[in-house]
Amino acid sequence: MQVLGKPYRTIWRSQEDPNIVQIIDQRHLPHRFVVEDLRTVDEVAIAIRDMHVRGAGLIGATAGYGMYLAALEASSAGSPQAFLEALEESGEKLIATRPTAVNLEWAVKRQLDVAQKAHSDLFGLVQLARETADTIADEDADFCRRIGQHGLPLLREIAERKNGEAVNVLTHCNAGWLAFVDYGTATSPIYAAHDAGIPVHVWVDETRPRNQGAGLTAWELGQHGVPHTVIVDNAGGYLMQQGLVDFVITGTDRTTFTGDVANKIGTYLKALAAKDNGIPFYVALPSSTFDWEMEDGVHEIPIEQRDSSEVKYVIGSRDGEVMEVLITPEDSPAGNYAFDVTPRRLVTGLITERGICGAAADEVLRLFPEKRR
Ligand code: MRU
């Protein structure tokens, strides 16, 4: 996507030194655009844990590159066996950083699987890790682009029904290109519609506590010229009742193959309000975000609990100076549940890189038959 007219992905290898991984440090957006260099697997673990990068697909791609940096570090191990052990250790370190987004473990396991199956010397193993990291990133971008193409007819159909009046889409958190390598998931059909000349307007939930909607989704929609309005998290239900929302679309950090959707805290409430008002509620995801083992997402998906300081303090900018302010009594405890799970019965459909299906095991497995057990 474009930033100030220049095309960017969210993660890439440095042109000067391909052993340096570069990311957009999202903690500074929307106030400053900062690119950060990652040189070690420890730096990658910090970047994921402290949310310099975030969002399911980007966490996966970053973990893929983290495993490449881990492979570079392990190449001094002496033997392929010692290399693999060091790689496994780094993989465990990365997986421990954030528990809900399944793409993290998926990318680490994919790297380990490639290394374990390769009969190669240390040089070859490092090369394979680099190629796999690049492939994970390229695939993520391509799958998101396809999600946009599959979702586009849904928005076009609403636009036709409204005789050219803008289609009002509501989204929660940031499942935009900043949460992936490019395009995003929830935003991809929106960008596709906008680029096709379909008038779209996006209601952007601010998404407390970290305000990924207000700070990131609003910023990237603005960069692409998509009309949008930031709203407080509690406004969605009212707007739906008043007929001001035509379509709700979110991303997801983990979706069971049975159709239960883990996403940023507050998503469940939007799905309930959408159901009550007869508004379609879609979830967009690449296949890397499916959990192919778990059946009962509501009770089994681990929900990350983050530091209470994210609830008690808000970061903002005044006269160009970025500052953090306390918004609660200093001593009040705060709970910080980062995700919730929307049960499949509230989900109209899942938009994947292979097409759209219902939120049910048989429908998901019809699109991904190779995952049948
Ligand atoms: O905690 P985050 O910012 O990594 O949360 C992930 C998200 O951005 C959202 O839950 C998003 O809607 C799904 S991830 C594409």
Side-chain angles (χ1 to χ4, degrees):
M1 303 301 283
Q2 306 278 325
V3 179
L4 301 170
K6 192 173 161 213
Y8 272 94
R9 280 184 166 189
T10 50
I11 189 164
W12 61 94
R13 285 190 291 115
S14 159
Q15 287 198 329
E16 282 78 48
D17 180 350
N19 293 340
I20 295 176
V21 176
Q22 296 188 298
I23 56 165
I24 299 168
D25 185 344
Q26 301 188 18
R27 293 172 305 165
H28 302 286
L29 288 173
H31 312 295
R32 289 195 299 139
F33 186 76
V34 176
V35 172
E36 182 184 0
D37 289 351
L38 302 176
R39 296 162 200 271
T40 65
V41 68
D42 283 341
E43 286 177 1
V44 170
I46 290 168
I48 297 175
R49 191 194 61 215
D50 294 349
M51 295 177 67
H52 310 195
V53 289
R54 26 69 48 206
L58 179 55
I59 290 174
T62 309
Y65 279 114
M67 291 298 278
Y68 167 53
L69 297 181
L72 280 171
E73 288 168 29
S75 61
S76 56
S79 71
Q81 187 52 37
F83 173 94
L84 283 177
E85 281 165 19
L87 208 60
E88 276 167 22
E89 209 173 291
S90 294
E92 278 165 25
K93 190 184 292 176
L94 289 171
I95 288 174
T97 53
R98 296 202 66 191
T100 304
V102 79
N103 297 60
L104 174 54
E105 190 172 352
W106 169 85
V108 167
K109 285 196 170 149
R110 182 163 167 176
Q111 281 279 24
L112 287 174
D113 197 48
V114 168
Q116 280 154 359
K117 287 188 179 139
H119 299 285
S120 187
D121 59 10
L122 291 175
F123 178 75
L125 284 167
V126 173
Q127 268 197 319
L128 266 178
R130 192 189 61 222
E131 282 163 22
T132 306
D134 287 342
T135 306
I136 289 173
D138 289 347
E139 254 177 35
D140 184 82
D142 183 47
F143 287 2
C144 285
R145 187 188 55 76
R146 291 193 216 186
I147 285 169
Q149 293 310 311
H150 292 303
L152 172 60
L154 297 172
L155 296 179
R156 180 173 280 131
E157 200 247 313
I158 297 172
E160 280 165 7
R161 235 180 22 228
K162 291 186 78 178
N163 281 327
E165 226 184 277
V167 179
N168 284 307
V169 180
L170 185 142
T171 192
H172 190 67
C173 197
N174 175 261
W177 72 268
L178 287 165
F180 291 85
V181 175
D182 212 343
Y183 301 98
T185 50
T187 53
S188 192
I190 296 170
Y191 290 131
H194 176 80
D195 293 349
I198 296 170
V200 219
H201 164 263
V202 185
W203 296 112
V204 179
D205 281 356
E206 61 178 348
T207 319
R208 279 280 287 148
R210 289 183 65 102
N211 291 322
Q212 291 96 325
L216 303 178
T217 305
W219 180 80
E220 60 162 90
L221 289 172
Q223 290 291 322
H224 200 77
V226 179
H228 60 278
T229 307
V230 179
I231 51 174
V232 295
D233 291 326
N234 294 328
Y238 169 74
L239 294 175
M240 290 187 215
Q241 277 179 331
Q242 298 302 311
L244 296 171
V245 179
D246 300 305
F247 188 81
V248 182
I249 185 165
T250 73
T252 167
D253 301 271
R254 182 190 301 230
T255 288
T256 62
F257 71 99
T258 56
D260 295 330
V261 173
N263 195 47
K264 184 54 56 188
I265 193 81
T267 303
Y268 172 44
L269 293 177
K270 295 300 135 70
L272 282 171
K275 185 77 167 180
D276 193 42
N277 290 282
I279 296 165
F281 179 94
Y282 278 88
V283 175
L285 71 160
S287 49
S288 49
T289 304
F290 277 113
D291 186 320
W292 298 105
E293 305 293 325
M294 201 179 273
E295 296 192 10
D296 178 1
V298 174
H299 297 103
E300 291 177 38
I301 294 178
I303 299 298
E304 175 180 356
Q305 290 190 44
R306 298 184 60 84
D307 198 279
S308 62
S309 62
E310 294 182 347
V311 175
K312 296 183 66 165
Y313 291 84
V314 171
I315 299 174
S317 157
R318 170 177 283 183
D319 300 331
E321 195 195 335
V322 178
M323 57 181 77
E324 192 174 65
V325 293
L326 178 68
I327 59 165
T328 62
E330 193 136 23
D331 297 334
S332 289
N336 190 2
Y337 300 87
F339 300 95
D340 60 25
V341 180
T342 299
R344 60 197 85 143
R345 68 191 152 79
L346 300 178
V347 178
T348 311
L350 304 172
I351 309 176
T352 77
E353 75 270 17
R354 290 199 191 165
I356 301 180
C357 67
D362 55 339
E363 296 226 22
V364 172
L365 292 171
R366 183 176 47 76
L367 276 188
F368 297 92
E370 72 279 18
K371 298 293 182 187
R372 280 185 201 282
R373 276 182 258 156

